[in-house]
Amino acid sequence: MGKTNKDDKPRGTDPLVNKKAKFNFELLDSFEAGIVLTGSEVKSLRDKKGNLTDCFAKVRNGEVFLENFQIPPYKDGGYANHPEIRPRKLLLHAKEIQKIDRAIKEKGLVLIATKCYFKDNKLVKVNVSLAKPKKLYDKREDIQKKEAKIDIERAMKGNLRK
């Protein structure tokens, strides 16, 4: 039986999510990528530690690297622990890398990480998305839509109680 945490849930089942990605960017196309990590980084991710908030990816020499992915050092790592922030290589197919590189250069899009999770409780995967940065007025529009939806739900809840 695998290791469990205090709540008796398998470790590493909940994904890390970049909550600001949908607010700051219009997500266009997404890719599932593997990531090259050290053992202590994987253990730290299994303990649900990590931060994708300011995470983005760059294409260098036909390879994709994830920048600003914060994985805090593993508490029991000892002298062999990893640095918290370093470029981490993403594993994608060559055609996907070409498509991403072309979109970044021609259309001015950015590549951001939206989610990090364990696939089949074994492999660490990262969802990266090609995204277009939103303007300030687009963000205001989203906030207004969200508030209107909440008001409608409150009104419907109030009608059900009467």
Side-chain angles (χ1 to χ4, degrees):
M1 187 168 222
K3 289 187 177 184
T4 58
N5 60 7
K6 298 174 199 169
D7 305 324
D8 280 345
K9 282 172 61 177
R11 290 173 46 185
T13 54
D14 295 336
L16 293 172
V17 179
N18 185 350
K19 294 178 183 175
K20 289 191 171 190
K22 286 185 183 176
F23 182 72
N24 291 329
F25 298 94
E26 181 184 335
L27 304 178
L28 303 174
D29 198 6
S30 81
F31 303 92
E32 180 184 67
I35 185 168
V36 177
L37 297 172
T38 64
S40 61
E41 289 173 327
V42 174
K43 288 182 177 187
S44 195
L45 285 175
R46 283 204 186 274
D47 287 341
K48 297 177 184 70
K49 303 236 177 2
N51 185 5
L52 286 172
T53 304
D54 296 326
C55 196
F56 63 95
K58 284 186 174 180
V59 179
R60 281 190 232 130
N61 300 327
E63 296 178 333
V64 182
F65 289 92
L66 198 59
E67 305 279 342
N68 289 350
F69 184 18
Q70 297 175 1
I71 302 174
Y74 183 58
K75 63 179 181 191
D76 298 326
Y79 71 91
N81 237 334
H82 62 275
E84 187 168 350
I85 298 175
R86 67 173 179 87
R88 293 172 173 92
K89 185 176 176 182
L90 292 180
L91 305 172
L92 290 160
H93 292 281
K95 287 184 180 179
E96 290 175 331
I97 294 172
Q98 289 172 354
K99 182 179 179 182
I100 289 168
D101 196 27
R102 197 175 317 116
I104 289 171
K105 287 179 181 172
E106 292 175 5
K107 299 177 186 173
L109 302 178
V110 292
L111 188 63
I112 57 169
T114 54
K115 190 191 310 187
C116 179
Y117 57 94
F118 284 88
K119 189 169 187 177
D120 301 329
N121 211 17
K122 293 178 185 176
L123 303 173
V124 180
K125 297 290 183 176
V126 177
N127 271 6
V128 290
S129 295
L130 283 170
K132 186 170 116 179
K134 284 186 181 178
K135 304 283 185 206
L136 184 61
Y137 56 84
D138 290 334
K139 292 179 189 178
R140 287 185 190 140
E141 229 174 79
D142 287 347
I143 292 171
Q144 288 173 348
K145 287 178 186 176
K146 190 175 181 181
E147 287 175 354
K149 184 179 176 184
I150 291 171
D151 290 342
I152 291 169
E153 287 175 3
R154 282 187 190 146
M156 293 296 286
K157 214 180 230 186
N159 288 342
L160 293 175
R161 289 184 185 170
K162 290 180 183 178

